[in-house]
Amino acid sequence: MKSSRLFLAVVLGLALIPAFSYAQRLTPAQISALDNVYLDASEATGSSSAVVVGDSALVHTAQLLPLELDRVLHGRDAATQARKALELVGKALKTADTGLPQIAKLNVYLAGDEHKAAVQKVISETFSTDAKPAIAYVVGELPHPNAFVAMDAVATTSTPGSRNVLRFSSEAVYGNPEETHAAILPTGSKIYISGQAVRDRTLELSTRKTMEQLAGTLKHLGLDWENVVQVKSFLQPMTEVETARTEIKRFFGGHRTPPLVFVEWTSSTPIEIELIVAGGVAPLTSEPVEYITPPGMKASPVYCRVVRINFGKNVYISGLQGSVVSQPEAQVRNIFSDLEYLVRKCGSDMKNLVKATYYVTDDETSSQLNKLRPEFYDPARPPSASKAMVRSTGSEGSTISIDMIAATKR
């Protein structure tokens, strides 16, 4: 009996040697992506329908334009600019010990629909393996008047093992000293704060008052600006983006700001701002996903003010668009049908949706979205959300695109 057990141990040990040797050859970034699951990867688009990330820290980058260090625009066509934007995203990720192959989600901002085919081809060439990110597109004016494309990304990383938010700047990427190009959302609770907006007579005042309101939400959560991983703003006009940027920076008290993202929207409200925040280690008795309404705010059956993932993996869904483009109601129903299928396939469900971004191009589609969401969402567990009226979703005839993050069931 003893000899049999010894023989089995030797055989198992020998079997593990190749795997151990293989793991030793991997970089920390490669190890962080080993548990990622890429669903329905497409060679044509360079994307997956959904990506489930492993149990690792997540790096969020700033929105990056195809600019040289002196802020001169690189390239005069969309393909050249897309390559430069991806290069800069890679350099930003490198500061957090990761890179392009570990990207789980890529957000692409286009100046016009006509640029999508060229940009998509570059993305397909870049992500040539089965590890293709989930991708969402939106069209509108960019923070640089002559840029055709901008990008930001979320990638996995296994280092460093800090419990605090770490922010990084790359000397190889343009920017001001007080701005950062990437920030690490450490393992633990991940918090998604819905877009908030306080309307005032100018973009400057609206930004300031919205940030003050967000400060109150952070305080209710027992957190502060040092816990913020990314700030995303929907604003108009884009020609005044530097005004919003300056106001946002003021709230970080002279410290480096987290990565910033700016998206043009069409609205009578100058700006809406959402946050991604690190929530620390949750008690083991916590609910896997919490849906929170801070004091003084009204709960809604179709979106939640704050959603916190305590346990469970992030599921990133590529931007979903309806196939029946001529009918707004059919588009929305088709999207939610696809969403139900994808989240189930990823080990989640419609009761574990975390963060939605709705891009709509007309009032009728927006109304249909409002009308139909109660059919698909648990009124006690709707995702945090921002809805932006935009110029285009990036696909001809499509009047809505839904970009969703979910959490796997525990």
Side-chain angles (χ1 to χ4, degrees):
M1 181 65 73
K2 288 183 178 179
S3 60
S4 298
R5 286 199 297 266
L6 179 61
F7 174 76
L8 180 60
V10 170
V11 170
L12 289 174
L14 290 173
L16 290 172
I17 286 175
F20 180 73
S21 299
Y22 171 70
Q24 280 188 316
R25 295 196 299 270
L26 298 180
T27 66
Q30 290 171 326
I31 291 172
S32 76
L34 285 177
D35 293 333
N36 291 357
V37 177
Y38 303 88
L39 185 66
D40 302 331
S42 166
E43 294 292 336
T45 64
S47 67
S48 297
S49 295
V51 178
V52 185
V53 300
D55 186 18
S56 65
L58 298 173
V59 182
H60 291 71
T61 76
Q63 181 186 59
L64 293 169
L65 293 151
L67 301 178
E68 302 290 358
L69 282 173
D70 58 3
R71 294 182 179 269
V72 172
L73 191 66
H74 178 91
R76 297 183 179 180
D77 62 89
T80 302
Q81 291 190 11
R83 292 188 190 94
K84 183 63 176 182
L86 280 169
E87 175 193 327
L88 295 180
V89 168
K91 289 177 178 178
L93 292 173
K94 187 177 180 181
T95 63
D97 294 324
T98 187
L100 294 178
Q102 287 73 49
I103 292 179
K105 176 67 188 299
L106 185 67
N107 297 306
V108 182
Y109 311 91
L110 302 173
D113 290 338
E114 66 274 18
H115 305 305
K116 184 175 180 181
V119 171
Q120 198 169 60
K121 185 174 186 295
V122 171
I123 290 173
S124 178
E125 293 168 351
T126 302
F127 298 96
S128 57
T129 68
D130 291 336
K132 303 181 190 300
I135 300 179
Y137 290 88
V138 67
V139 175
E141 186 174 347
L142 301 181
H144 189 290
N146 297 317
F148 299 137
V149 61
M151 300 180 188
D152 71 80
V154 184
T156 57
T157 185
S158 61
T159 57
S162 173
R163 291 295 183 185
N164 300 318
V165 173
L166 299 175
R167 299 171 185 159
F168 303 93
S169 297
S170 171
E171 293 182 355
V173 181
Y174 69 91
N176 298 320
E178 69 273 18
E179 296 180 18
T180 56
H181 300 118
I184 293 181
L185 175 60
T187 55
S189 294
K190 300 176 282 286
I191 298 173
Y192 297 86
I193 299 178
S194 284
Q196 296 185 14
V198 180
R199 184 179 176 183
D200 209 303
R201 62 184 184 276
T202 66
L203 177 60
E204 180 181 11
L205 290 173
S206 297
T207 304
R208 186 180 308 163
K209 292 185 177 181
T210 299
M211 290 292 284
E212 289 171 351
Q213 182 171 282
L214 286 164
T217 299
L218 289 171
K219 184 177 180 180
H220 169 70
L221 298 170
L223 302 170
D224 206 336
W225 293 109
E226 66 184 12
N227 303 106
V228 175
V229 175
Q230 188 187 70
V231 182
K232 187 171 186 176
S233 304
F234 304 88
L235 79 161
Q236 61 84 25
M238 186 59 78
T239 53
E240 296 183 23
V241 65
E242 294 308 314
T243 297
R245 191 190 304 271
T246 298
E247 278 300 311
I248 290 170
K249 287 179 182 179
R250 288 180 60 248
F251 284 80
F252 292 88
H255 299 290
R256 292 193 300 173
T257 59
L260 305 179
V261 176
F262 298 97
V263 184
E264 182 195 41
W265 73 348
T266 304
S267 174
S268 59
T269 300
I271 192 166
E272 179 173 301
I273 304 174
E274 62 182 35
L275 304 178
I276 299 174
V277 185
V281 179
L284 293 176
T285 54
S286 301
E287 289 291 321
V289 182
E290 294 180 88
Y291 295 81
I292 303 165
T293 302
M297 294 186 175
K298 185 178 179 180
S300 166
V302 294
Y303 80 100
C304 187
R305 300 287 184 169
V306 179
V307 178
R308 183 203 305 258
I309 304 177
N310 293 318
F311 307 104
K313 300 176 180 179
N314 276 37
V315 179
Y316 294 98
I317 308 291
S318 280
L320 295 173
Q321 298 174 341
S323 58
V324 189
V325 295
S326 61
Q327 303 173 31
E329 180 180 354
Q331 280 190 70
V332 176
R333 289 191 178 279
N334 182 250
I335 287 171
F336 278 120
S337 176
D338 289 345
L339 178 62
E340 286 182 312
Y341 165 78
L342 286 170
V343 292
R344 282 200 306 270
K345 199 166 181 180
C346 291
S348 183
D349 58 26
M350 298 294 282
K351 292 180 181 291
N352 284 277
L353 303 178
V354 172
K355 174 66 178 72
T357 305
Y358 308 106
Y359 295 119
V360 296
T361 65
D362 60 48
D363 291 333
E364 184 180 359
T365 303
S366 179
S367 296
Q368 287 296 329
L369 176 63
N370 293 342
K371 176 183 175 182
L372 294 173
R373 275 187 287 180
E375 291 187 25
F376 296 93
Y377 291 163
D378 181 335
R381 300 172 66 87
S384 65
S386 292
K387 181 169 71 169
M389 189 76 72
V390 296
R391 189 187 309 172
S392 173
T393 64
S395 294
E396 184 178 358
S398 173
T399 58
I400 181 170
S401 178
I402 297 181
D403 175 13
M404 185 71 74
I405 303 172
T408 57
K409 293 185 289 187
R410 192 175 184 183

